[in-house]
Amino acid sequence: MTRPDRGTVAAGAVPTAPDNGIVAAGAIPTTPGRGTVAVALSLVSVLLALDGTGLLRLGWGWTLALVCLCAGVALIATAPPSRALFVGALARFATTTRALWTLRAATIVTAPLAGVGPAAYALLALAQALTEPRPLDAKPVWRQALGTGLIGVGFVLASGELGLIFPDDEVLWPVLAAAAGLSGFWWLSGPSPAARRSLAGAVTFALLVWGAFLVGDIDRAVVGGLAGALAVTVIFGPRWLRSSRAGAAERARAARADERAEVAGAVHDSVLQTLALIQTRADDPAEVRALARAQERDLRARLFGEADPGARPASIAAALRGVAPEIEDEHRTKIDIVTVGDAPLDEAATALVAAAREALLNAVRHAPGSPVSLFAEVADGRVAAYVRDRGPGFDLETIPEDRRGVTDSIVARMVRHGGHAAVRTAPGGGCEVRLILERVP
Amino acid sequence: MSSPRVVVVDDHALFREGVRARISGELEVVGEAGTVAEALRLIRAERPDVVLLDVHMADGGGLAVLEGVGAELPDVRFLALSVSDAPEDVIDLVHAGAHGYVTKTIEPGELAGAVRRVAAGEAVFSPSLAGFVLGALSRLTPREQDVLRLIARGYLYKEVAQELGISPKTVEHHVSAVLRKLQLTTRHQLSRWAAERRLLD
């Protein structure tokens, strides 16, 4: 069986949905013809002219019916041929051409009988939509849909003039409106879960309204109004749904594109630049190492959000971590930092951070190439920081003058803020500077 | 002692080569694997002493490898390698039975030393892992805290021993005890303790 078309009947734009079968005879074999349009328009104008001269008493019902029929035929005749339009939900139940024609005829003939045919069609279409939703990219065929709907309206109006409507207009039109709306919803809505839920809700509501009609408990005018409101909702609902879905998809696409552009920009600005620099400095291992290290830090900050270079550190740990990068960059070395615990950065702690910075500078100057580490622990109102290098170390008694100056400045700084500092070193054993701050909790 | 036999598992070929170049002088690298499946096959075939295991891999990572053969081959020891300095990343591996954790920026000499220690059945903590455990694990004895503090300060085991006036064996004993405690602690408990610590300060 061929896949039934999903752009059928629809009649999403007009308040009725007699089955498309009615137009099949004229439209399938013909190519769109302006002749057909001309004939239809001429027919309408002749009839209206006769009516106007009083030769023919048509009345509003017949006039409207004729206009609808002619406009519908004209619309379909000028639309691109679409065989699919004439199959619709019925194709699922009719495997032979003959059975299809029978179903079409039954649908249109029973339309004036309380809208049984179109309503049944609408429910079939909905059942189909819920079980195998049409693909999102299926294009609605507006002209055929509108034309089909107009022809259906014309047929029902003509039936009304001939007195063939049962039980009466008040019942028929809301039912047709609901049927049109529901098949239109099916036609327009895609396979998203949200669309399906709305669809199921609309069907339930329509069935309730229909049931109320059959039972006859509710005032017809009220129900008719409700059904009309439902029809409007289901006609415009799916369009809104679709456009909002399209909007969300569009926004997501835009966000993805932005992110890609940002990543590409960052990669270009940092990684590619660094790689280019590394190529030109390949003969200077220290420089290459420094470039790689700086790049690594930058990427880490981006990927893991480890640090925000522009922000002022608010805590002791963050401030200590912020000290390392500039020293690493300047002295082409690597500093390992481990912190345990944390506390807000007050004045004394700021002094400790500055002292740690001095100690780190000291270490990288006097122990070039050896690993330098900083460990800080904040606990129980006490801040302790240790700066350690694995350099040559020295004899405290014979330290050079410049180094003494630095250590003195470290010690003095700590003492001024109520802490203390100590240097421990031995020739060949590296050097460790301890900075302790006893804080009043 | 003969050279430990090592398998390197990392999804970056360049990094595997780098590691091989760094340690092959001192250790015997018997194979490399770039995927979890390859790693499982290789480890079952070679039964190495130590597997150097990348934490972050495209197809499940070191955890998948550890869970695949960890219980089946209890004699094979695992040393986790991570590019990240965040020790939280390797807690899962420690739970799954890894004997230690070092960052990929570790000095070449230290890496070989760490592999030897793991091969000998000891635990290996990088300074950052020691710092993390110190902050997160509340059931540490004062001595264990002392040991971890010195490791976090960058001391080698023998320096820790010297500083505390104990034997290197005792240092190893403390570190192994901490590793066991870490393996018995859930990730949830660790993060809760860590958060409480930070709140107290």
Side-chain angles (χ1 to χ4, degrees):
Chain A
M1 190 177 100
T2 55
R3 186 175 172 81
D5 134 313
R6 321 322 208 83
T8 358
V9 173
V14 287
T16 184
D19 187 57
N20 18 33
I22 192 170
V23 280
I28 282 184
T30 59
T31 49
R34 289 173 196 276
T36 320
V37 182
V39 169
L41 291 177
S42 314
L43 186 63
V44 171
S45 50
V46 167
L47 286 170
L48 290 177
L50 285 175
D51 188 41
T53 55
L55 286 173
L56 188 66
R57 288 249 159 260
L58 272 177
W60 278 112
W62 277 112
T63 313
L64 213 58
L66 284 170
V67 170
C68 284
L69 285 168
C70 290
V73 170
L75 269 173
I76 288 170
T78 53
S82 164
R83 192 186 169 278
L85 176 66
F86 306 108
V87 181
L90 295 177
R92 195 173 185 169
F93 304 93
T95 46
T96 66
T97 316
R98 189 176 176 152
L100 194 59
W101 278 107
T102 314
L103 281 174
R104 282 169 179 162
T107 308
I108 204 67
V109 165
T110 54
L113 299 175
V116 168
Y121 180 89
L123 291 180
L124 284 178
L126 287 169
Q128 193 180 15
L130 290 173
T131 50
E132 43 170 315
R134 73 189 178 86
L136 255 181
D137 56 354
K139 284 202 181 71
V141 234
W142 283 106
R143 285 199 200 181
Q144 277 103 333
L146 192 61
T148 311
L150 284 173
I151 290 171
V153 170
F155 183 81
V156 173
L157 282 170
S159 307
E161 290 300 311
L162 294 171
L164 293 176
I165 285 181
F166 173 84
D168 56 37
D169 296 15
E170 262 184 90
V171 176
L172 181 62
W173 288 113
V175 171
L176 289 182
L182 289 180
S183 33
F185 196 106
W186 157 75
W187 179 46
L188 291 169
S189 59
S192 84
R196 286 194 193 201
R197 275 198 300 278
S198 325
L199 202 56
V203 172
T204 313
F205 186 49
L207 286 177
L208 285 175
V209 172
W210 207 14
F213 266 121
L214 296 179
V215 176
D217 275 346
I218 303 173
D219 184 53
R220 281 178 181 167
V222 173
V223 177
L226 280 176
L230 172 68
V232 170
T233 311
V234 295
I235 287 167
F236 292 105
R239 294 201 58 182
W240 172 82
L241 229 164
R242 195 145 75 150
S243 69
S244 69
R245 211 163 46 219
E250 182 53 42
R251 278 193 297 280
R253 239 194 325 273
R256 274 198 302 276
D258 280 356
E259 202 180 312
R260 253 200 306 275
E262 196 180 313
V263 170
V267 167
H268 179 264
D269 289 350
S270 56
V271 181
L272 291 182
Q273 298 278 17
T274 304
L275 287 175
L277 275 172
I278 284 177
Q279 286 175 47
T280 60
R281 306 271 177 87
D283 50 350
D284 183 352
E287 176 77 17
V288 167
R289 208 173 298 126
L291 284 167
R293 176 75 180 162
Q295 184 58 65
E296 179 195 344
R297 215 168 37 231
D298 183 53
L299 274 181
R300 265 185 207 292
R302 273 180 214 281
L303 294 176
F304 310 118
E306 281 181 359
D308 183 358
R312 257 185 87 81
S315 76
I316 297 174
L320 285 172
R321 287 180 185 282
V323 164
E326 54 172 311
I327 299 175
E328 288 183 338
D329 284 349
E330 199 178 326
H331 293 270
R332 312 262 178 270
T333 186
K334 179 179 162 237
I335 299 172
D336 286 318
I337 298 186
V338 176
T339 59
V340 176
D342 207 349
L345 192 63
D346 57 16
E347 202 191 327
T350 309
L352 179 134
V353 171
R357 185 174 178 281
E358 285 294 318
L360 285 169
L361 275 170
N362 220 5
V364 298
R365 272 193 214 118
H366 295 275
S370 89
V372 176
S373 64
L374 165 63
F375 170 72
E377 187 177 19
V378 185
D380 308 325
R382 181 172 185 271
V383 187
Y386 304 84
V387 174
R388 182 179 162 84
D389 68 63
R390 298 189 166 282
F394 52 90
D395 186 345
L396 262 177
E397 303 301 315
T398 62
I399 46 175
E401 201 52 40
D402 66 325
R403 187 148 192 177
R404 155 142 271 159
V406 174
T407 36
D408 279 355
S409 87
I410 291 173
V411 173
R413 199 193 297 259
M414 292 305 293
V415 168
R416 260 204 311 281
H417 289 90
H420 57 272
V423 179
R424 210 170 81 147
T425 181
C431 174
E432 187 179 62
V433 178
R434 306 168 178 201
L435 310 167
I436 313 288
L437 204 58
E438 305 284 354
R439 303 165 84 218
V440 184
Chain B
M1 189 175 95
S2 69
S3 226
R5 300 168 70 248
V6 180
V7 159
V8 182
V9 179
D10 193 299
D11 54 353
H12 292 102
L14 260 177
F15 183 78
R16 292 200 301 272
E17 277 168 34
V19 168
R20 187 192 269 270
R22 277 152 73 176
I23 64 175
S24 57
E26 302 177 53
L27 308 166
E28 186 190 349
V29 179
V30 295
E32 297 172 17
T35 65
V36 171
E38 249 177 73
L40 293 178
R41 220 171 22 245
L42 185 63
I43 293 166
R44 288 196 179 107
E46 289 290 341
R47 310 251 168 158
D49 296 310
V50 177
V51 177
L52 274 175
L53 200 54
D54 185 22
V55 175
H56 303 281
M57 279 167 67
D59 52 351
L63 193 59
V65 175
L66 250 177
E67 284 171 347
V69 292
E72 177 189 327
L73 303 170
D75 290 341
V76 178
R77 298 198 167 86
F78 294 85
L79 177 59
L81 271 170
S82 170
V83 70
S84 162
D85 257 336
E88 291 93 331
D89 286 352
V90 290
I91 290 304
D92 286 336
L93 268 84
V94 170
H95 280 161
H99 272 68
Y101 159 65
V102 292
T103 52
K104 285 184 175 180
T105 49
I106 186 172
E107 298 293 316
E110 290 184 34
L111 179 59
V115 171
R116 281 186 185 283
R117 290 217 299 281
V118 168
E122 298 165 20
V124 170
F125 280 23
S126 69
S128 60
L129 182 60
F132 172 76
V133 173
L134 207 49
L137 202 57
S138 62
R139 292 177 304 167
L140 296 172
T141 66
R143 206 49 159 171
E144 285 165 355
Q145 288 187 18
D146 291 341
V147 170
L148 283 177
R149 213 168 264 132
L150 289 171
I151 292 173
R153 275 158 70 177
Y155 281 54
L156 303 177
Y157 281 18
K158 64 172 190 289
E159 294 168 332
V160 175
Q162 201 180 347
E163 176 78 17
L164 296 177
I166 53 180
S167 75
K169 267 271 166 272
T170 313
V171 174
E172 286 160 18
H173 171 80
H174 285 307
V175 176
S176 295
V178 173
L179 183 77
R180 273 197 301 281
K181 285 183 182 176
L182 199 54
Q183 282 168 344
L184 293 174
T185 310
T186 66
R187 197 191 175 99
H188 172 71
Q189 284 171 316
L190 282 177
S191 49
R192 202 181 61 217
W193 284 327
E196 280 170 6
R197 278 279 181 109
R198 267 193 281 278
L199 284 178
L200 285 175
D201 286 324

